[in-house]
Amino acid sequence: MKPFLFSLFFFFFFFQTQIVFSATTLSLEILSLLALKNSIVDPHKFLHDWDPASTFTKSNYQDPVWCSWTGITCHSRTSQITNLDLSNRNLSGTIPPEIRYLSSLVHLNLSGNDFGGNLQAAIFQLSELRTLDISHNYFNSTFPPGISKLKFLTVFNAYSNNFIGPLPEEFIRLRFLEQLNLGGSYFSDRIPSGYGSFPRLKILYLAGNALEGPIPPQLGFLAQLERLEIGYNNFSGELPAELALLSNLKYLDISSANLSGRLRPELGNLTSLENLLLFKNHFTDQIPSTLGNLKVLKALDLSDNQLTGSIPQALGTLKELTKLSLMMNKLTGEIPQEFGDLPNLELFHLFNNSLSGFLPQKLGSNGLLQRLDVSTNSLSGPMPPTICNGNNVIKLILFNNKFQGLLPASLTKCSSLTRLRIQNNGFNGSIPAGFGSLPNLTFVDLSNNNFTGQIPEDFGNAIKLQYLNISGNSFNNPLPNNIWNAVNLQIFSASSSKIVGHIPDFDGCQSIYRIELQGNSLNGSIPWKISHCQKLLLLNLSRNSLTGIIPWEISVLPSITDVDLSHNFLTGTIPSNFNNCTTLENFNVSFNLLTGPIPSSGSIFPNLHPSSFSGNEGLCGGILSKPCAADTLAAGDNEVELQKQQPKRTAGAIVWIIAAAFGIGLFVLVAGTRCFHANYNRRFSTDSQEIGPWRLTAFQRLNFTAEDVLECLSMTDKILGMGSTGTVYKAEMPGGEIIAVKKLWGKHKDHIRRRRGVLAEVDVLDGEMEARVADFGVAKLIQSDESMSVIAGSYGYIAPEYAYTLQVDEKSDIYSYGVVLMEILSGKRSVDPEFGDGNSIVDWVRLKIKSKDGVDEILDKNCGAGCGAVKEEMLQMLRIALLCTSGNPSDRPSMRDVVLMLQEAQPKRKLLESVVGRCGGHNVGGGGGGDILLPQKPTLET
């Protein structure tokens, strides 16, 4: 406060002697500005020049000095402050009540900052305000009263805050209001019917709240309305027919709003409409043909509903149409051929329907088409030859249809193309050369078609290609020798494609992490240059005719996890180097001609299933329980030597037998005596304890000793719980620290095994000694040399097969990890009475996803599930959790694959930018001063 008081004192002193302006008005304005600077946090010093002391020391200052300060604009004649713009300056703190002294303020912009708490009601005393922008902040609680005092207000933008409670009805009294944005908060209850009485309102934005109930038909009385966005709420009922009265409406978005019923034919009366977005609702019945009356319509999105029937031919007459999205419905029939003549069409999405017939054969002839996705339908016929006229197509997605014929050669010149997905069709002929030369191509899936002939060599020259799948075809040709040279290729799959010849040398191979060549007719040996594939995770060469030995170079790949070489003709031994390979999770060499011992000294091979080595008569040792020849020979030699020595030993045998019997008897007597005394002392001694060997390993500075811990282990009233490995005690140390102590059970063999488990727990606590989600208490015991005889682990996290097999492996922990994901997503514990008797969270989740709207009941609203953008990401996590908790262990992914899925999972969502702001984004949707910027929906990624 001292700098603030000094500034005020300096200013008033100077003001009395130097300034000729009106003291009353201007002194209050400077008081307001300095109070504002004093109450906000300005980490980047944007307001460094708000300092009257330093300004007055300049010889060429202009009066009044604050008119030159950052964010301030003054009236040219009166010098009163008319504009205060503090937007996007990373400011926080609070707005002081002294802001009311800026009585001449016309425009106030506080957007794009971190202001929080209650909105300062003193702002509503600025009676001259015309625009007020508080968007992209963290103002919370209910909206304060008093807004109606701003009787000249024309623009109010509160987008992306944390307001709660009902929408303020007081706005209705603002008769000059033209733009109202209350989106991106947590307003609840219904839209007030009075919101249909604004006489001049042009923009109404209420999207991304928690509004419910029916949409009031009174909104149809907003005669001047040009833009209406009220989606991403939880309304009920149908679309009001009265909305068709909005003759000036240009933009209508009521997406993801839980609406039902049929689409109103009256929508065809909105002849000024340019954008109609009603996706992700529950609309049924047919698309009204009256939509063909919307002659200026540019974007139509009715996707993700339950629409039936055929696509109206009248839509093909909308010459201004640039974006058409009807995907994820139940549409049938043929696609109107008129769509091929639309001169401005850029996006055409019809995927996940039941459409049949041909694609419009002129599609793309306008030269503007960028995205085409008609996947998962029953379309047939050829691909339109004009698909990339104009070289603008970015994504061409046709998979899961019945397309036939050759690929157009012109497609290989489509330099804009990034993703080509035409798998699961009937395309035939050879793959035309040239795809590898496309500069932007990253993803190609041509699998499960009828392609034949040579595989183009230019794939090996591709610059950006990351994914290439040509599986399930009939090439009857070898792989190109340069296939591994594609510098960014990460996944290559060519399984079951009738590929012949040798595997090309692994020259290049620098980025690839997955190679799938199973089910072909490859021969020759596995190239030893596979060591070049330093990022390789998976190698599948099974079901070929490969010969030669297994290259030891595979074992030194730093990240290799899955190797499948089964059903070949490989010979020789399994290289002993695999003993040192710590990354392997699956290794299958079954049904080959391998011989010799199976590696057994490492940590991987003893835990593999015996079926991974079956069909190799010459393999021995390890988990096959089949001794190797060298071991058998050694045993035979020992037997011969014993027979030779037998006569010499006979003479003293009786003597040794008598001595042994005496020794055994003496041992039993001594041991029995000690056992008796031990039991007696345990029962009758009040201060007895189990003694040693004790070792205290400290991972941080401690104020107690091992003896202090031992004193707490005899008090039964301090027991916190018991598990399969021991009892947990609450222990209070002499210094006052409260710790938990686990006392392990009994037998020496068990003690060693469980101590190993405890040490494994220690091995996973990070550099800060914080626990990591890596060990769920089961798989740490798999190094044991005996089968488990008890159930270890917490109920609710245990994999189902563990209960009846008592066998544990890494897939058991994958199951437990999936349970943890479900807990995070749902906000519930793994076991809860809500789930029903004997049910865990896994049972509950699987039951819920089978019911209508069950997913909404799973996802925790407190974690942002009410926000459409966040919900899509949570759904991605839920899919991973369901995969991890598959009933069949073999269906569960490896942990490495789980990590990859988590890293690579980009939410396949139709992300309305207007909801990004309140989910963490900035400068989106109504941010900034002046006009309210209202977003449009990007398209779904496929």
Side-chain angles (χ1 to χ4, degrees):
M1 285 295 293
K2 289 184 177 180
F4 174 54
L5 295 175
F6 173 77
S7 297
L8 283 179
F9 173 79
F10 183 92
F11 170 75
F12 285 122
F13 173 78
F14 188 89
F15 192 80
Q16 288 181 341
T17 57
Q18 300 289 331
I19 303 298
V20 295
F21 299 112
S22 166
T24 302
T25 302
L26 298 184
S27 61
L28 289 176
E29 286 188 342
I30 189 62
L31 174 65
S32 177
L33 293 177
L34 295 179
L36 182 61
K37 182 181 180 182
N38 192 59
S39 65
I40 64 177
V41 179
D42 181 14
H44 298 297
K45 307 298 181 184
F46 284 115
L47 307 183
H48 65 91
D49 58 347
W50 284 32
D51 184 1
S54 61
T55 305
F56 286 141
T57 59
K58 299 177 182 178
S59 58
N60 60 342
Y61 68 86
Q62 296 181 353
D63 298 326
V65 292
W66 56 85
C67 289
S68 62
W69 289 356
T70 299
I72 295 176
T73 303
C74 293
H75 193 279
S76 58
R77 289 187 294 105
T78 65
S79 298
Q80 294 176 330
I81 299 175
T82 59
N83 193 344
L84 178 59
D85 186 354
L86 300 180
S87 61
N88 302 308
R89 299 184 188 275
N90 198 32
L91 305 176
S92 59
T94 59
I95 306 300
E98 288 85 356
I99 196 171
R100 66 181 181 273
Y101 298 140
L102 300 177
S103 57
S104 300
L105 208 59
V106 177
H107 305 286
L108 175 59
N109 192 342
L110 304 175
S111 67
N113 288 295
D114 295 314
F115 293 121
N118 294 336
L119 178 62
Q120 177 57 257
I123 293 175
F124 301 152
Q125 298 181 34
L126 302 174
S127 58
E128 298 298 318
L129 274 184
R130 300 305 196 267
T131 65
L132 175 57
D133 193 341
I134 59 171
S135 63
H136 296 290
N137 279 290
Y138 296 94
F139 293 116
N140 54 36
S141 189
T142 56
F143 196 86
I147 189 72
S148 60
K149 298 176 184 177
L150 304 179
K151 57 183 179 180
F152 299 115
L153 195 67
T154 59
V155 174
F156 181 71
N157 187 358
Y159 174 78
S160 187
N161 277 282
N162 295 324
F163 292 114
I164 60 174
L167 291 170
E169 295 199 38
E170 197 177 357
F171 278 102
I172 299 169
R173 295 159 61 183
L174 299 176
R175 311 311 288 172
F176 290 95
L177 200 61
E178 296 181 1
Q179 301 181 20
L180 177 59
N181 190 335
L182 297 175
S185 274
Y186 299 95
F187 287 113
S188 56
D189 210 342
R190 302 186 175 199
I191 299 176
S193 58
Y195 274 33
S197 64
F198 294 103
R200 302 190 181 189
L201 198 65
K202 296 181 179 179
I203 295 176
L204 177 59
Y205 189 96
L206 305 176
N209 281 294
L211 301 173
E212 55 190 13
I215 296 175
Q218 289 84 355
L219 294 184
F221 303 149
L222 296 171
Q224 303 301 317
L225 199 65
E226 297 179 359
R227 189 163 188 140
L228 176 62
E229 297 191 53
I230 56 176
Y232 290 92
N233 283 293
N234 193 31
F235 299 125
S236 58
E238 301 186 12
L239 202 61
E242 288 80 0
L243 294 183
L245 301 175
L246 300 173
S247 58
N248 290 308
L249 197 64
K250 297 179 180 179
Y251 196 104
L252 176 59
D253 186 351
I254 318 182
S255 304
S256 191
N258 198 40
L259 296 175
S260 57
R262 63 191 183 96
L263 291 175
R264 299 281 186 177
E266 293 88 347
L267 290 173
N269 296 334
L270 300 174
T271 53
S272 298
L273 203 61
E274 297 178 357
N275 294 270
L276 177 56
L277 310 177
L278 299 173
F279 61 85
K280 204 169 186 181
N281 282 290
H282 306 290
F283 292 123
T284 57
D285 211 341
Q286 301 188 37
I287 300 173
S289 60
T290 55
L291 296 185
N293 298 332
L294 308 180
K295 299 303 181 183
V296 296
L297 195 67
K298 296 180 179 179
L300 175 62
D301 194 338
L302 307 177
S303 61
D304 205 350
N305 280 287
Q306 300 171 30
L307 299 171
T308 58
S310 59
I311 300 174
Q313 192 171 358
L315 297 185
T317 65
L318 302 178
K319 301 300 183 182
E320 301 298 321
L321 201 64
T322 61
K323 299 177 181 178
L324 178 63
S325 296
L326 305 177
M327 67 272 195
M328 301 178 73
N329 279 289
K330 300 178 180 178
L331 299 174
T332 56
E334 298 187 0
I335 301 173
Q337 293 295 309
E338 288 80 0
F339 284 130
D341 298 319
L342 294 179
N344 297 298
L345 192 63
E346 298 175 1
L347 181 147
F348 193 55
H349 281 180
L350 302 178
F351 60 85
N352 283 24
N353 281 289
S354 299
L355 299 168
S356 57
F358 287 17
L359 271 177
Q361 290 301 293
K362 291 184 180 180
L363 199 61
S365 59
N366 63 1
L368 299 177
L369 189 65
Q370 297 179 14
R371 291 173 171 84
L372 172 64
D373 191 341
V374 294
S375 58
T376 315
N377 280 285
S378 297
L379 299 170
S380 57
M383 185 186 299
T386 57
I387 205 76
C388 195
N389 271 20
N391 223 16
N392 284 309
V393 173
I394 298 172
K395 297 177 182 178
L396 180 55
I397 317 294
L398 309 179
F399 64 82
N400 291 354
N401 278 289
K402 301 176 182 177
F403 290 115
Q404 303 142 353
L406 306 176
L407 291 184
S410 59
L411 200 59
T412 62
K413 299 178 182 179
C414 188
S415 59
S416 57
L417 193 63
T418 63
R419 295 174 73 87
L420 175 63
R421 302 187 64 189
I422 60 172
Q423 69 268 25
N424 300 329
N425 279 290
F427 289 112
N428 52 38
S430 59
I431 300 173
F435 284 117
S437 301
L438 297 181
N440 296 301
L441 194 62
T442 61
F443 192 106
V444 175
D445 195 338
L446 311 177
S447 62
N448 298 321
N449 280 284
N450 297 319
F451 290 119
T452 58
Q454 292 188 346
I455 301 168
E457 290 191 6
D458 53 59
F459 278 131
N461 304 323
I463 299 173
K464 292 187 177 180
L465 188 62
Q466 298 175 0
Y467 180 99
L468 176 59
N469 191 344
I470 56 174
S471 302
N473 286 288
S474 302
F475 295 110
N476 288 305
N477 267 278
L479 290 172
N481 286 329
N482 66 338
I483 191 63
W484 315 119
N485 288 347
V487 292
N488 287 298
L489 187 62
Q490 297 176 1
I491 296 178
F492 178 71
S493 182
S495 60
S496 303
S497 288
K498 298 184 179 178
I499 295 176
V500 299
H502 290 46
I503 299 174
D505 261 350
F506 290 101
D507 293 315
C509 197
Q510 62 188 34
S511 299
I512 199 161
Y513 64 80
R514 193 177 185 98
I515 296 175
E516 298 174 341
L517 289 172
Q518 66 269 27
N520 285 294
S521 299
L522 293 167
N523 53 41
S525 60
I526 302 172
W528 61 268
K529 286 187 178 180
I530 195 163
S531 59
H532 293 183
C533 306
Q534 287 290 295
K535 295 183 179 180
L536 193 64
L537 299 177
L538 180 145
L539 175 66
N540 194 336
L541 304 177
S542 64
R543 299 185 184 277
N544 280 285
S545 300
L546 297 173
T547 57
I549 63 172
I550 299 174
W552 63 266
E553 286 82 1
I554 298 176
S555 68
V556 297
L557 293 174
S559 302
I560 192 69
T561 61
D562 287 83
V563 175
D564 193 342
L565 308 177
S566 62
H567 294 272
N568 280 287
F569 300 100
L570 299 174
T571 56
T573 62
I574 301 175
S576 60
N577 303 68
F578 279 100
N579 277 322
N580 303 318
C581 184
T582 60
T583 59
L584 267 182
E585 296 175 356
N586 295 292
F587 183 79
N588 191 345
V589 291
S590 60
F591 298 97
N592 277 284
L593 304 174
L594 299 173
T595 58
I598 296 173
S600 58
S601 62
S603 60
I604 303 301
F605 280 81
N607 300 307
L608 295 175
H609 197 274
S611 62
S612 298
F613 306 99
S614 60
N616 292 276
E617 293 299 325
L619 285 181
C620 60
I623 62 174
L624 291 181
S625 300
K626 176 182 177 182
C628 293
D631 298 333
T632 305
L633 180 60
D637 291 344
N638 288 339
E639 185 175 351
V640 172
E641 185 64 24
L642 286 173
Q643 291 175 354
K644 291 180 179 179
Q645 295 178 0
Q646 189 67 26
K648 298 179 181 179
R649 294 178 178 176
T650 302
I654 298 175
V655 176
W656 280 110
I657 291 173
I658 295 173
F662 179 81
I664 292 172
L666 182 60
F667 172 80
V668 170
L669 179 61
V670 173
T673 302
R674 289 187 176 181
C675 183
F676 172 82
H677 284 292
N679 287 333
Y680 182 88
N681 290 337
R682 184 179 295 111
R683 292 182 182 181
F684 298 104
S685 176
T686 58
D687 59 350
S688 63
Q689 299 178 21
E690 293 183 28
I691 306 299
W694 297 98
R695 182 178 66 174
L696 178 65
T697 303
F699 295 94
Q700 59 186 18
R701 186 180 298 277
L702 300 176
N703 297 321
F704 53 86
T705 65
E707 288 73 20
D708 296 328
V709 175
L710 291 178
E711 290 180 2
C712 301
L713 300 187
S714 61
M715 295 179 285
T716 58
D717 60 330
K718 299 297 184 181
I719 293 177
L720 298 178
M722 295 184 180
S724 63
T725 57
T727 304
V728 180
Y729 294 81
K730 176 183 177 182
E732 183 172 355
M733 298 294 100
E737 301 95 336
I738 302 296
I739 66 173
V741 181
K742 175 180 279 189
K743 178 182 178 183
L744 300 181
W745 301 130
K747 292 186 290 185
H748 179 67
K749 194 170 187 179
D750 286 344
H751 171 74
I752 293 175
R753 183 188 70 192
R754 286 164 180 149
R755 181 171 173 270
R756 182 187 300 150
V758 173
L759 292 178
E761 291 179 320
V762 173
D763 287 340
V764 297
L765 289 152
D766 62 13
E768 301 298 325
M769 300 311 295
E770 293 290 337
R772 295 179 291 186
V773 181
D775 175 28
F776 294 90
V778 176
K780 67 173 178 284
L781 300 173
I782 63 176
Q783 300 301 319
S784 173
D785 56 356
E786 56 183 309
S787 62
M788 309 242 347
S789 59
V790 294
I791 298 294
S794 302
Y795 178 65
Y797 300 94
I798 304 173
E801 71 276 5
Y802 182 36
Y804 56 84
T805 64
L806 299 181
Q807 297 295 317
V808 294
D809 56 19
E810 72 279 0
K811 294 302 178 74
S812 304
D813 277 358
I814 296 298
Y815 181 94
S816 302
Y817 181 76
V819 173
V820 172
L821 287 183
M822 289 182 178
E823 289 183 303
I824 294 172
L825 291 169
S826 66
K828 300 180 184 297
R829 299 182 69 87
S830 61
V831 179
D832 193 283
E834 176 187 351
F835 306 152
D837 290 343
N839 288 336
S840 68
I841 193 173
V842 177
D843 305 308
W844 178 75
V845 168
R846 293 192 180 278
L847 181 64
K848 286 294 182 183
I849 61 176
K850 294 179 182 177
S851 63
K852 183 180 180 182
D853 299 327
V855 172
D856 293 332
E857 298 179 38
I858 296 172
L859 302 182
D860 187 359
K861 299 296 189 298
N862 294 326
C863 290
C867 166
V870 176
K871 180 179 178 180
E872 290 298 326
E873 297 182 9
M874 294 176 76
L875 289 175
Q876 292 285 359
M877 295 283 287
L878 181 58
R879 294 186 184 101
I880 297 174
L882 288 169
L883 195 59
C884 291
T885 55
S886 296
N888 187 349
S890 63
D891 292 336
R892 299 172 201 155
S894 67
M895 198 64 212
R896 188 179 297 272
D897 286 337
V898 170
V899 172
L900 286 174
M901 284 189 286
L902 292 173
Q903 290 175 340
E904 296 179 357
Q906 297 295 326
K908 308 284 192 297
R909 63 183 181 227
K910 295 181 286 190
L911 178 62
L912 184 66
E913 285 184 323
S914 62
V915 300
V916 176
R918 75 180 178 103
C919 302
H922 258 305
N923 304 326
V924 188
D931 294 337
I932 300 179
L933 304 177
L934 296 170
Q936 298 196 24
K937 175 187 70 68
T939 57
L940 186 68
E941 179 77 22
T942 50

